[in-house]
Amino acid sequence: MAFNINDFKNNGLTKGGARPSLFAVTITRPPEIITSDTLSFLQKIQFTCRASSIPASSVASFDVPYFGRKIKLAGDRTFADWNVTIMNDEDFGVRDFFEEWSQNINTNETNQKISVRNQYKTADADVVQFSKDGRQIARYTFTGMFPTEISAMDLDWDATNSIQTFNVTFAYDYDVNARTDL
């Protein structure tokens, strides 16, 4: 194959390529998480979630020996953790929500689970990616998720002209993706 820029323009990124900055995140709350800031969280998360990802999923393989040779067979699918970066507001509403959720899983003080049964993981999240003209082109729904880590928030006298951020890492059971034809 010879290099030809016109072939690339006609067959490569014919629609200009998907932009990583055109996305929105929504998270449903587990039923037992009801704080004074719940409404604030549900309204703010799509505006304060500054970065997200579409995590990897992988299918493991395993070897089956036969007469001195091994063949590989497909094993189980696993899903990598999902991470988001949140911009913190002075009301701490979104951070408070995640901390309350984490407390329901295992409290800091008593080391006990507050959550009834497994309701702490009844939340779902959607990551929606949009085209340059604003149409939805992909949706990933994460099911059975819960926060495993709420990161530190740095404080620094030199950090002027910036907004404080923190990361939240989630474990989840599986994701479902849906495409929308352009």
Side-chain angles (χ1 to χ4, degrees):
M1 179 172 119
F3 172 76
N4 183 325
I5 192 65
N6 290 322
D7 287 343
F8 176 71
K9 288 182 351 184
N10 293 329
N11 300 307
L13 299 174
T14 56
K15 296 180 181 176
R19 302 295 200 263
S21 61
L22 299 177
F23 74 96
V25 169
T26 57
I27 299 176
T28 61
R29 70 171 180 82
E32 77 274 8
I33 309 295
I34 300 172
T35 67
S36 59
D37 292 324
T38 298
L39 183 58
S40 174
F41 167 79
L42 294 174
Q43 292 172 339
K44 282 186 155 185
I45 188 66
Q46 63 183 320
F47 299 107
T48 59
C49 183
R50 189 183 111 188
S52 183
S53 64
I54 299 169
S57 70
S58 55
V59 175
S61 67
F62 61 94
D63 295 337
V64 177
Y66 178 74
F67 279 88
R69 298 279 177 139
K70 295 180 181 178
I71 63 167
K72 294 196 178 287
L73 295 178
D76 294 333
R77 178 174 299 279
T78 58
F79 298 92
D81 287 346
W82 178 50
N83 298 293
V84 295
T85 301
I86 306 294
M87 295 183 293
N88 195 33
D89 202 0
E90 288 185 355
D91 66 4
F92 277 65
V94 175
R95 180 153 179 117
D96 287 347
F97 180 85
F98 287 125
E99 288 177 346
E100 180 71 21
W101 191 354
S102 182
Q103 284 291 313
N104 274 278
I105 296 169
N106 182 277
T107 63
N108 291 353
E109 189 174 329
T110 64
N111 194 30
Q112 294 177 336
K113 178 177 145 181
I114 296 172
S115 181
V116 179
R117 296 178 303 278
N118 283 335
Q119 287 188 350
Y120 67 88
K121 59 182 288 181
T122 57
D124 293 339
D126 287 321
V127 176
V128 177
Q129 195 162 5
F130 298 97
S131 67
K132 292 175 288 304
D133 63 5
R135 289 179 290 137
Q136 177 181 314
I137 55 175
R139 174 183 296 270
Y140 287 80
T141 300
F142 304 100
T143 300
M145 60 178 249
F146 60 95
T148 59
E149 180 180 355
I150 303 165
S151 76
M153 291 189 301
D154 294 331
L155 305 173
D156 184 347
W157 286 353
D158 283 334
T160 59
N161 298 319
S162 64
I163 304 236
Q164 185 179 47
T165 63
F166 62 95
N167 298 316
V168 182
T169 301
F170 296 92
Y172 61 99
D173 293 335
Y174 61 92
D175 67 54
V176 176
N177 63 63
R179 298 281 183 276
T180 304
D181 290 334
L182 289 175

